Amino acid sequence: MSLRINDIAPDFTADTTEGEIKFHDWIGDSYAIIFSHPKDFTPVCTTEFGAVARLAAEFEKRNTKVIGVSVDSVDEHVKWKNDISHFAKVPANFPIIDDTSLNVAKLYDMLPAEAYLPDGRTAADSATVRTVFIIGPDKKIRLSLTYPMSVGRNFSEILRALDAIQATDGVALATPADWQPGEDVIVALSLDDSQAEAKFGELNKVLPYLRFAKCPSK
């Protein structure tokens, strides 16, 4: 059965470039982004890992840990990190999981249960291992995105989505299309006008069911 929004992210123990981790313990009280790749030393994935390396300070500001998954070994990941850092011009200081067992790829429904790594494999053999998950401190999945091999991921959008998740986490708010941090947010229909105004201040009532309020600071 596929993973859905608000499902508990599967826990696992794995070797990484920073030693063994137990995933839920590693997340702790932070948000987490887990982003997966079908193979080390591939061109699109190198640019993506480089983008994550450049955003390290942005993720840290948002109390968010990032971790990569690739179905290669820790030894290969360590070598690949040199290429990533060379491309990005900054260190790639986040861990990468050794998923040669395909345990994580299968737990997160990125490969079928019967999948295996053939001898002489290429990235095409594990092409569906190309997903991003945002996970909350409660260990629930807040977002998932899966990309084809030919499309590099937009980490500016992933950062924007993380901001939207954090802005609306635990409150009766949502973000409109193309929302950017600091812009007005939508008040949930679970609150009537008087409840919404008491909670969020003056409303901009565009339609009876579409009411905007200032985004509260977290």
Side-chain angles (χ1 to χ4, degrees), residues 13-188:
T13 299
D15 290 328
T16 79
T17 52
E18 295 182 6
E20 185 178 274
I21 65 159
K22 192 171 189 300
F23 187 51
H24 283 191
D25 291 346
W26 178 82
I27 294 173
D29 296 326
S30 302
Y31 287 80
I33 296 178
I34 181 169
F35 56 103
S36 63
H37 297 264
K39 201 174 192 303
D40 293 358
F41 305 104
T42 50
V44 174
C45 298
T46 299
T47 67
E48 291 175 331
F49 271 72
V52 173
R54 293 189 196 109
L55 288 170
E58 295 299 323
F59 290 123
E60 186 174 357
K61 280 196 303 190
R62 292 161 174 81
N63 186 35
T64 299
K65 296 178 178 178
V66 295
I67 190 166
V69 177
S70 182
V71 292
D72 281 304
S73 68
V74 164
D75 287 345
E76 292 297 292
H77 296 342
V78 170
K79 295 173 190 172
W80 187 29
K81 275 194 171 196
N82 292 327
D83 289 353
I84 295 163
S85 297
H86 175 77
F87 169 77
K89 304 295 190 287
V90 294
N93 286 333
F94 51 86
I96 307 176
I97 294 166
D98 178 333
D99 197 33
T100 47
S101 66
L102 302 184
N103 179 47
V104 177
K106 293 179 181 182
L107 270 179
Y108 279 76
D109 199 36
M110 295 182 277
L111 285 174
E114 67 275 11
Y116 68 99
L117 295 181
D119 292 340
R121 75 179 183 91
T122 69
D125 293 303
S126 46
T128 55
V129 184
R130 207 106 151 76
T131 306
V132 177
F133 292 93
I134 298 180
I135 299 165
D138 56 3
K139 314 306 183 286
K140 290 183 178 179
I141 294 171
R142 305 298 177 81
L143 173 146
S144 65
L145 293 166
T146 302
Y147 288 73
M149 294 281 284
S150 60
V151 179
R153 281 171 265 204
N154 184 335
F155 281 91
S156 295
E157 165 56 16
I158 291 166
L159 198 64
R160 188 201 72 89
L162 175 63
D163 283 332
I165 288 165
Q166 293 187 342
T168 59
D169 213 356
V171 291
L173 296 171
T175 58
D178 301 324
W179 178 87
Q180 294 293 330
E183 294 179 351
D184 289 355
V185 291
I186 295 170
V187 178

Side-chain angles (χ1 to χ4, degrees), residues 187-201:
V187 178
L189 296 174
S190 57
L191 301 178
D192 63 28
D193 286 354
S194 60
Q195 290 171 323
E197 286 169 348
K199 209 167 184 57
F200 303 116

